[in-house]
Amino acid sequence: MGKPLLIVESPTKAKTLTKYLKDAYVVKASKGHIKDLPENRLGVDIENGFRAEYQIISGKKKIVEDLRKSARNAESVLLGPDPDREGEAIAWHIAEEISRNGSSKKRPPVYRVLFYELTQKGITEALKTPGPLNRHLYEAQQARRILDRLVGYLISPILWRKVKTGLSAGRVQSVALRLVCEREREIFAFRPEEYWTVDALFSKQDDDRSFKARLVQCYGERRCDLSSEAEANKIIELLKDRFYVVKDVKQKKQKQNPPPPFITSTLQQDASRRLKFSPRKTMQIAQQLYEGVELPDAGPVGLITYMRTDSTRLAEDAVKAVRKFIASQWGESFVPPKPNQYKVKASSQDAHEAIRPTDVFRTPDSIRPFLTHDQYLLYELIWKRFVACQMKPAEVEKTTVDIVPEGDDEFVFRATGSVVVFPGYLVLYQEATDEEASEEGDGILPPIQSGKALRMLSINGSQHFTQPPRRYTEASLIKALEDFGIGRPSTYATIVSTIQERGYVVSEKRTLRPTELGFIVNDLLVEHFPDIVDISFTAQMEAQLDEISRGNGSLMNLLKNFYDRFKPMLDDALKEMRNLRVEGILTDLECPRCKEELGTDVPLLVIRWGKTNGPIVECPRCRFKSHYERDEHGEIRLIPEKETGEVCEKCGKPMVVKQGRYGSFLACSGYPECKNTKPLSLGIPCPREGCSGELVERRSKQGKIFYGCSAYPDCSVILNRKPYARFCPKCGYPIMTKSEGRSGKKSAWVCLNKDCRYREEIEEDN
C-alpha cells in the first residue's frame, strides 16, 4: 500500500498543503467540479424521482483517470474540497468516480476532511479528525442545483420563443432582477417636493469662534416645515437683528460599538464601498488569500480563514492572540475586560467561524511586498476589521445646544457637536456606508452654558428637494438579498454578476439600473411565474434547503412540492405569454413619419426586438424605426438622430449617426429611399504608414467593441483599446490609449505600439 491520497479542488491549495505535509501524503487537485449536468439538455428525469443525470465535464476525463489511478495505490483517500455545500458536491462526485476502481475489497477507505484555515494548526486538526461524507449537505446542494436547472432550462426557451433568443431566467437571479426593477420604478414614480431650511451662524460675546445652528421649531410648533422661499424669507425677517440666548445645553456620552468580524456578505459590501471591488473579484482574491500566498522562508501560506461563511463566531485561540496584539500596540486600555461576542443570526448555518487572518501578528505591512496590490488591499481590510472587532468601543460625547431669541421661545435653533472622548476601535477602523453625509454634520462646539448670550453673525435660507429612493449598488443589493433570506454566502457574487452579464442590469456610477430588456423579462416573469420571483417564496425555499442540509428535510418532498406548483405556471406561460416578437409592446408615441404624411389617425409606435443592438420602436404601418430612451419618470422618448455635418454623396441629404448590430455608423437621413451607409470615423488617421484611412469603432458578432481602419480589407489594423490622437514621447507613435486607474493606481497614457508600450501616469489635476 502507498501513502494516503489527499484530493482538493484547487492546484494552489494542493501546493500549500504539500508544503506543510511534505512527503507524508500524495496531494492531488481536481481543478474544481469533475461532474455536472449536461450543457445542452435538462438532465433531470422528472418522471423518475427527479434523478440528476450527471456526467464527467468535458476536458476532465484525464484528471478523473489520474485520480482513479492514484486512489488504487493509496492507503486511504481523504477528500478536502472547500467546507461548504459546493465542496461537498465535489467530494461526493470524486468519491463516486473512485468507487469505480475494481472490487470493493481492493478499494481504499474514503474520508472527508474539512480545512477551515490552511495553517500548520488548521491542517493538523483537520487530518486528525477525518469523517464520512455528509449526505445531508450533498442533498441540499443537489436540490439547489436541480431547482435552478428546472427554472433555467424550462423558462428560458419560452423567453427565446416569445422575446429574444439567448435570454435566461434563474430561480434567484430573477428575484434580484425584480428588486432592481421595482426600485427603478419607485424612482420613476417619485415626484420631488420643495422644502427650505434656515441656518444661522452664532458666536459667544467673548469668543470669535463661530458655529452653525438650524431652525428646528417655528411659531411654537415642534417642527419647522417650510415649503417655499417666501416662507423662509418671512421667518428670516422676523429673526434677524435680534438678541439670542442659550436656552438649554444637553451633553450625553455615547458608546459606539465595533462592528462584528466579516462574514461573506459584509466582506463583499465593504470591499465594494471602500475598494470598488465587484463581489466576484472580492471572492476571487479572498480565495487566493485562503488557499495560500508564497512568502519568503515559509513557502505558500494560507493568510485568511475560509471566506464563505455566515457566522460571526471566532476561535478561542484567535481571540486570545488578537487581545495580546491589541495590548502590545495600543495598550491595555484598548482591550475590553471580556472578549467581544457577536450574535449569530437565527438563519445562519454557523458551519464555521468568521473571516479573519490566520495569524494576527502577520500584519498587512509586513507582507505587503509579497502580495499583489489587490491582495494587499483586501487582506488589510480583513485584518483591520478582525482586530477592531475585539477592541473597546469608542466613547463620544454629544452636545446639543438649543438657542432662542431673547424673551421668545416660539423659534428654536439647534446646534449639535460631538467630541471623541476615547477613540477605542476607531483608531484602526471605521465602517463605510452607502449613505451620503448629513447636510448638518456634527461639528465641534465651543464650551457653552445655558443662559449665555450669543451674537447672530448671519442667517440665510437654503432650498432643498426631497430625494427619490437610492438605486441599489452591488453592496446594497447583497445586503437586501441577505436581509430577505435569499441566496447564501456562496451565491451572492454569482447572483449580482449574472444579472449584469445577461444584459438585464447595467452599472452606472456604481449603481445598478435595469435595462429595457431587464424590465421586459421581469414583467413577463412576474405576470406568468409569480411564485418564482416572489421574495417570500424564494426565501422559504432557501430555508427548506437549510433544513435538508441539517438532516431535517426531504429532497424529494422539496422538489415534488416545487414542481407541482411550477408546472401549471409553465403550461400557462407556454399558451398565454404574449409573443413580443410578433406583437411588440404598444407605446403611446405617435409615428413621426406618419404624422407628417397623415395628420390624423396616426399609428402608435411599438417596441420590438429587431436585428439591431437592443430594443427599438417601430411603426406597424410605414416601418419607421428608432432607438428610444426613458426619461426621469420612465416615459419613453425617441433618441433624435445626430447630424454630423456630412452630406450623402449619393443624394445630397444630411448623414446621421445610427446604431446597428456592430455599433455606431453613418447613414443617409433619406432612408429608405437612399440606403447609403459608411463607418463612423473617430477623426484619427490610421497609424499604418502609407494608409489614407481613418480609425472607426466596430463591434464583433459577440458584441465586443474594437477599432479598425476604414480602409478594411485593404488595411487590417485592429486595436482592442480606444485610441487617442496623442504622440508617444518615446517612440513617436501617433496614437496612445488611456488606462483608467483602479484599486488605488493612477490613470496613465499607454503607447499602442506593440514594440514600445511606454506608460506615462496622468497627474490628478488633469
Side-chain angles (χ1 to χ4, degrees):
M1 273 291 184
K3 301 172 186 176
L5 172 65
L6 174 58
I7 302 175
V8 293
E9 77 281 22
S10 159
T12 304
K13 193 174 178 180
K15 184 179 177 183
T16 302
L17 287 163
T18 300
K19 172 247 179 179
Y20 282 108
L21 300 174
K22 302 193 184 307
D23 297 328
Y25 291 78
V26 175
V27 185
K28 296 277 185 178
S30 69
K31 296 185 179 179
H33 283 276
I34 61 168
K35 295 170 77 172
D36 198 4
L37 297 173
E39 287 186 12
N40 301 318
R41 54 191 176 86
L42 181 62
V44 177
D45 191 344
I46 297 170
E47 302 300 324
N48 290 300
F50 299 94
R51 185 175 63 85
E53 302 171 19
Y54 279 94
Q55 56 187 222
I56 294 175
I57 296 169
S58 175
K60 290 292 184 79
K61 289 185 179 178
K62 285 186 178 179
I63 291 174
V64 172
E65 282 300 321
D66 181 51
L67 295 179
R68 285 179 186 155
K69 182 179 177 181
S70 299
R72 280 196 288 268
N73 301 318
E75 171 191 311
S76 59
V77 178
L78 296 96
L79 303 175
D82 287 349
D84 57 14
R85 295 179 194 174
E86 206 72 23
E88 201 66 32
I90 294 173
W92 201 275
H93 289 150
I94 292 172
E96 286 179 344
E97 291 306 310
I98 287 175
S99 70
R100 300 180 190 277
N101 281 335
S103 67
S104 58
K105 292 181 180 179
K106 295 181 180 180
R107 291 180 208 143
V110 176
Y111 303 100
R112 180 77 163 105
V113 289
L114 303 172
F115 298 109
Y116 296 116
E117 57 179 89
L118 296 186
T119 60
Q120 186 70 64
K121 178 177 178 293
I123 294 167
T124 303
E125 287 183 356
L127 294 175
K128 275 183 183 176
T129 55
L133 288 164
N134 188 326
R135 174 173 287 278
H136 302 310
L137 273 186
Y138 174 66
E139 287 188 347
Q141 195 275 343
Q142 294 311 288
R144 178 187 290 280
R145 188 76 184 93
I146 292 169
L147 287 171
D148 291 345
R149 178 55 68 104
L150 291 173
V151 172
Y153 271 58
L154 296 179
I155 295 181
S156 297
I158 301 176
L159 295 176
W160 301 346
R161 194 180 312 167
K162 306 284 188 174
V163 185
K164 179 177 178 284
T165 304
L167 299 183
S168 74
R171 187 180 61 85
V172 181
Q173 78 177 51
S174 297
V175 180
L177 173 62
R178 181 177 187 176
L179 289 172
V180 176
C181 288
E182 289 183 348
R183 176 61 57 85
E184 193 71 12
R185 287 199 163 114
E186 288 178 36
I187 295 170
F188 286 158
F190 180 82
R191 296 297 182 270
E193 295 181 3
E194 181 183 10
Y195 71 97
W196 284 72
T197 56
V198 174
D199 294 305
L201 207 59
F202 293 95
S203 73
K204 296 195 297 183
Q205 300 284 1
D206 55 352
D207 194 334
D208 289 337
R209 287 178 294 176
S210 62
F211 60 93
K212 189 171 79 169
R214 174 159 292 180
L215 189 64
V216 293
Q217 294 182 26
C218 299
Y219 304 109
E221 299 292 331
R222 295 187 65 83
R223 295 168 59 91
C224 194
D225 297 324
L226 307 176
S227 59
S228 68
E229 184 177 13
E231 288 183 41
N233 287 339
K234 181 181 177 182
I235 285 178
I236 290 171
E237 286 299 317
L238 281 171
L239 298 178
K240 71 179 184 179
D241 302 326
R242 295 179 68 174
F243 296 101
Y244 288 84
V245 294
V246 177
K247 179 186 178 183
D248 191 22
V249 178
K250 291 179 181 176
Q251 290 182 321
K252 183 179 180 182
K253 281 190 178 180
Q254 295 179 335
K255 283 190 176 181
Q256 191 172 325
N257 292 318
F262 280 133
I263 59 176
T264 303
S265 62
T266 53
L267 174 62
Q268 291 172 355
Q269 291 168 48
D270 221 34
S272 175
R273 295 181 184 118
R274 291 176 182 272
L275 309 179
K276 313 304 181 199
F277 286 179
S278 69
R280 174 169 285 181
K281 180 177 179 178
T282 297
M283 297 312 290
Q284 287 172 342
I285 298 169
Q287 186 86 34
Q288 295 164 11
L289 296 174
Y290 161 71
E291 291 183 345
V293 173
E294 194 82 26
L295 298 181
D297 304 325
V301 176
L303 298 179
I304 64 170
T305 55
Y306 191 57
M307 64 286 159
R308 293 186 181 91
T309 177
D310 55 7
S311 174
T312 52
R313 177 170 50 81
L314 291 168
E316 187 177 336
D317 58 347
V319 173
K320 287 180 181 177
V322 73
R323 287 168 63 84
K324 183 178 178 182
F325 179 85
I326 294 166
S328 68
Q329 294 294 312
W330 292 281
E332 291 290 345
S333 62
F334 282 79
V335 183
K338 294 181 180 179
N340 296 332
Q341 293 187 332
Y342 299 91
K343 287 184 179 180
V344 177
K345 288 185 177 181
S347 60
S348 170
Q349 298 172 57
D350 198 26
H352 31 80
E353 62 175 310
I355 305 167
R356 61 168 176 83
T358 54
D359 182 356
V360 72
F361 289 92
R362 193 178 284 123
T363 63
D365 286 340
S366 70
I367 59 172
R368 184 170 191 168
F370 317 111
L371 303 178
T372 67
H373 183 68
D374 289 343
Q375 286 174 342
Y376 168 75
L377 291 175
L378 193 65
Y379 180 73
E380 181 186 45
L381 192 65
I382 293 168
W383 185 90
K384 284 186 173 181
R385 176 88 166 214
F386 169 63
V387 176
C389 86
Q390 290 303 315
M391 297 177 80
K392 271 188 176 179
E395 292 181 17
V396 179
E397 185 175 78
K398 190 160 187 177
T399 303
T400 303
V401 179
D402 284 353
I403 304 161
V404 297
E406 197 170 43
D408 182 359
D409 285 354
E410 288 200 336
F411 296 92
V412 178
F413 287 91
R414 181 165 294 158
T416 59
S418 57
V419 176
V420 177
V421 178
F422 175 71
Y425 77 95
L426 292 177
V427 296
L428 183 65
Y429 180 88
Q430 192 161 2
E431 279 193 282
T433 68
D434 287 323
E435 301 301 318
E436 294 177 354
S438 165
E439 289 180 5
E440 297 174 69
D442 278 349
I444 297 177
L445 300 175
I448 201 164
Q449 296 87 36
S450 180
K452 191 78 173 177
L454 298 176
R455 290 179 296 169
M456 177 185 278
L457 304 178
S458 64
I459 183 170
N460 66 288
S462 300
Q463 183 186 40
H464 310 272
F465 291 92
T466 54
Q467 296 298 307
R470 294 178 184 275
R471 280 181 177 155
Y472 283 111
T473 61
E474 290 185 337
S476 61
L477 181 58
I478 288 173
K479 186 177 187 307
L481 292 172
E482 184 185 28
D483 290 344
F484 285 126
I486 296 167
R488 286 299 180 262
S490 61
T491 64
Y492 295 133
T494 303
I495 294 166
V496 174
S497 60
T498 297
I499 58 176
Q500 295 179 72
E501 290 165 0
R502 301 298 186 200
Y504 298 155
V505 170
V506 293
S507 180
E508 288 184 354
K509 297 179 181 177
R510 302 195 60 77
T511 64
L512 300 177
R513 177 183 64 80
T515 62
E516 197 62 33
L517 179 61
F519 276 126
I520 290 169
V521 169
N522 175 68
D523 291 347
L524 290 174
L525 293 178
V526 170
E527 180 181 354
H528 295 283
F529 298 94
D531 284 351
I532 302 304
V533 292
D534 179 73
I535 293 170
S536 60
F537 177 75
T538 306
Q540 288 170 15
M541 295 297 296
E542 294 287 1
Q544 290 177 49
L545 290 170
D546 289 345
E547 286 301 302
I548 291 174
S549 72
R550 299 184 188 106
N552 300 327
S554 165
L555 179 148
M556 281 301 303
N557 288 344
L558 174 66
L559 295 176
K560 185 177 183 306
N561 292 338
F562 173 83
Y563 192 73
D564 287 346
R565 201 164 175 173
F566 177 53
K567 185 64 165 63
M569 290 185 279
L570 199 65
D571 294 339
D572 174 75
L574 281 166
K575 296 176 185 175
E576 305 298 332
M577 186 182 287
R578 289 172 295 157
N579 190 331
L580 300 186
R581 285 180 178 268
V582 177
E583 301 173 25
I585 301 173
L586 192 64
T587 73
D588 57 1
L589 294 178
E590 293 182 333
C591 172
R593 187 181 291 167
C594 290
K595 192 167 186 177
E596 284 185 13
E597 183 181 334
L598 302 175
T600 58
D601 298 326
V602 179
L604 298 177
L605 297 176
V606 173
I607 297 174
R608 293 193 190 282
W609 287 90
K611 294 180 181 179
T612 58
N613 57 331
I616 58 170
V617 283
E618 182 181 59
C619 175
R621 175 181 173 273
C622 72
R623 299 302 174 193
F624 164 83
K625 294 183 179 71
S626 174
H627 284 269
Y628 67 92
E629 61 186 4
R630 292 185 182 271
D631 63 19
E632 64 272 20
H633 300 308
E635 300 296 329
I636 289 174
R637 61 188 178 195
L638 301 183
I639 299 176
E641 294 177 336
K642 183 181 177 183
E643 294 193 11
T644 62
E646 290 193 45
V647 175
C648 176
E649 60 269 24
K650 292 186 177 180
C651 70
K653 290 187 177 180
M655 298 290 283
V656 295
V657 178
K658 291 197 173 184
Q659 298 293 321
R661 186 185 305 182
Y662 303 120
S664 303
F665 65 96
L666 284 177
C668 179
S669 58
Y671 180 87
E673 290 77 18
C674 178
K675 298 181 180 178
N676 183 30
T677 63
K678 58 182 181 179
L680 180 63
S681 172
L682 298 177
I684 301 173
C686 176
R688 184 175 177 181
E689 192 173 344
C691 180
S692 60
E694 292 186 332
L695 295 178
V696 297
E697 181 182 304
R698 299 188 187 276
R699 193 182 297 266
S700 69
K701 290 182 179 180
Q702 291 74 35
K704 187 176 181 180
I705 292 175
F706 67 96
Y707 305 89
C709 181
S710 60
Y712 178 84
D714 297 327
C715 178
S716 58
V717 167
I718 291 177
L719 303 168
N720 292 322
R721 305 281 297 275
K722 186 175 181 178
Y724 293 85
R726 184 182 179 95
F727 283 92
C728 173
K730 183 178 179 182
C731 71
Y733 201 64
I735 54 173
M736 299 183 77
T737 190
K738 196 173 183 181
S739 174
E740 297 296 338
R742 293 181 181 177
S743 305
K745 291 184 179 179
K746 285 187 176 182
S747 299
W749 290 110
V750 180
C751 179
L752 283 170
N753 182 352
K754 293 179 182 178
D755 298 325
C756 178
R757 295 303 191 204
Y758 170 80
R759 181 183 178 90
E760 178 185 325
E761 286 189 350
I762 300 171
E763 295 301 323
E764 294 296 330
D765 56 357
N766 287 345

